[in-house]
Amino acid sequence: MSEKEYTSYRFNDTTDPTDEQLAELMRRAAADARENGRKATEKFFDELYKACEEAKQRSLSNTK
C-alpha cells in the first residue's frame, strides 16, 4: 500500500478492506501512535526539566 493509498483510505459501509490492506493500515496506525507517544513523552520531560530549572533558579534567588 503506497503512502497515498494509506493517507486517502477511508472505511465505508459498502466495501471492506482486504486482509492485507487492514494489516497494513493497522501496522501504520500503530507506528503513528508509537511516534506520537514518543514525541509527547519527550515534550513532557523537556517541559518538566525546564520547570525544575526555573524552580531551582527561584529557590536560589530567594536565599540571597
Side-chain angles (χ1 to χ4, degrees):
M1 175 178 278
S2 72
E3 187 66 24
K4 183 178 179 185
E5 290 171 319
Y6 171 69
T7 56
S8 66
Y9 185 85
R10 300 293 179 261
F11 287 96
N12 62 55
D13 58 355
T14 59
T15 59
D16 291 329
T18 65
D19 288 344
E20 293 80 17
Q21 286 174 318
L22 184 58
E24 181 67 12
L25 290 166
M26 297 295 285
R27 185 190 68 74
R28 288 186 182 214
D32 289 346
R34 281 190 300 274
E35 179 63 14
N36 289 338
R38 184 196 64 75
K39 287 178 182 177
T41 299
E42 184 178 304
K43 181 178 178 183
F44 170 78
F45 282 106
D46 286 347
E47 291 179 14
L48 181 61
Y49 177 79
K50 182 181 174 185
C52 289
E53 290 300 312
E54 290 171 358
K56 281 190 229 178
Q57 291 300 318
R58 283 193 306 272
S59 177
L60 289 174
S61 66
N62 289 337
T63 60
K64 292 181 181 180

